[in-house]
Amino acid sequence: MMTSEQQKMQLLTRFKASALEDICWSKSNHRTVDINELRPEEIEKVYLMFFPQPTIIEQIVLAEHKELLRKHRSTCLTIATRIGLKEPDSWDKFNNWMLKSSVLKKRLNDYTLVELQSLERQLRGAESNFEASATKPGNKAWYHKHGFSMPSKS
């Protein structure tokens, strides 16, 4: 396992030493132009110049975005379970439906936040149709809503 210092040096060695001379000069407070003579804190400065860390605000916004994605995915899965597209112990039927019949015909995790809203709208429409169909005794939706298994065809 490499240490973070080794990882940083490995990333910085992708560049020619001559290409980094000006950067080394400025980050070492005009002490050296040679990357091999940089101190660990100077290497850190050069590394952060090429690979900046997200600010606290950016991290908070990203966390909130992930939470919104999680909530919308959860809503979609809840609706799909209610109408029988997602079975409690299997993902196969739901995944096939997502790839063949969903709005954008892609996996649930591949939907962006805006796209999830259109998928949720589609599922709510399907749920409305399911509820209307479930009022008629004897059809597939009625059996599913009331928790009965479908009778055999023979």
Side-chain angles (χ1 to χ4, degrees):
M1 182 97 183
M2 291 194 322
T3 66
S4 63
E5 291 300 319
Q6 290 171 328
Q7 289 173 330
K8 290 172 187 171
M9 281 306 293
Q10 186 181 28
L11 286 169
L12 294 176
T13 56
R14 291 182 183 172
F15 301 96
K16 290 183 180 179
S18 61
L20 296 173
E21 286 178 352
D22 290 338
I23 294 167
C24 292
W25 181 251
S26 67
K27 297 301 176 188
S28 69
N29 290 327
H30 312 292
R31 186 177 56 78
T32 182
V33 295
D34 187 1
I35 193 167
N36 295 319
E37 294 177 8
L38 291 178
R39 297 180 184 131
E41 63 274 3
E42 295 165 347
I43 292 171
E44 179 80 18
K45 289 177 186 176
V46 173
Y47 178 81
L48 289 175
M49 191 173 160
F50 289 101
F51 306 99
Q53 301 301 309
T55 65
I56 298 293
I57 294 173
E58 290 170 335
Q59 290 174 357
I60 291 170
V61 168
L62 182 61
E64 288 173 351
H65 184 265
K66 285 181 180 180
E67 181 64 19
L68 275 173
L69 278 172
R70 189 193 64 74
K71 284 182 180 179
H72 280 283
R73 286 179 187 144
S74 177
T75 301
C76 290
L77 286 170
T78 301
I79 296 169
T81 301
R82 277 197 305 256
I83 63 177
L85 286 176
K86 162 80 176 70
E87 296 166 351
D89 54 350
S90 174
W91 286 89
D92 295 336
K93 185 176 179 182
F94 178 74
N95 288 336
N96 288 335
W97 182 85
M98 287 295 295
L99 294 174
K100 293 178 183 167
S101 302
S102 69
V103 176
L104 298 176
K105 297 178 179 24
K106 57 185 182 179
R107 297 174 3 174
L108 182 61
N109 283 344
D110 294 339
Y111 275 78
T112 65
L113 190 56
V114 173
E115 294 168 346
L116 274 172
Q117 292 169 347
S118 62
L119 176 64
E120 195 174 322
R121 194 175 316 112
Q122 179 188 17
L123 285 167
R124 289 195 188 281
E127 183 179 32
S128 174
N129 292 343
F130 173 82
E131 291 297 329
S133 182
T135 60
K136 300 171 190 146
N139 65 20
K140 185 178 177 182
W142 185 84
Y143 279 103
H144 178 75
K145 182 172 181 157
H146 295 290
F148 301 131
S149 58
M150 290 282 292
S152 66
K153 295 184 181 196
S154 55

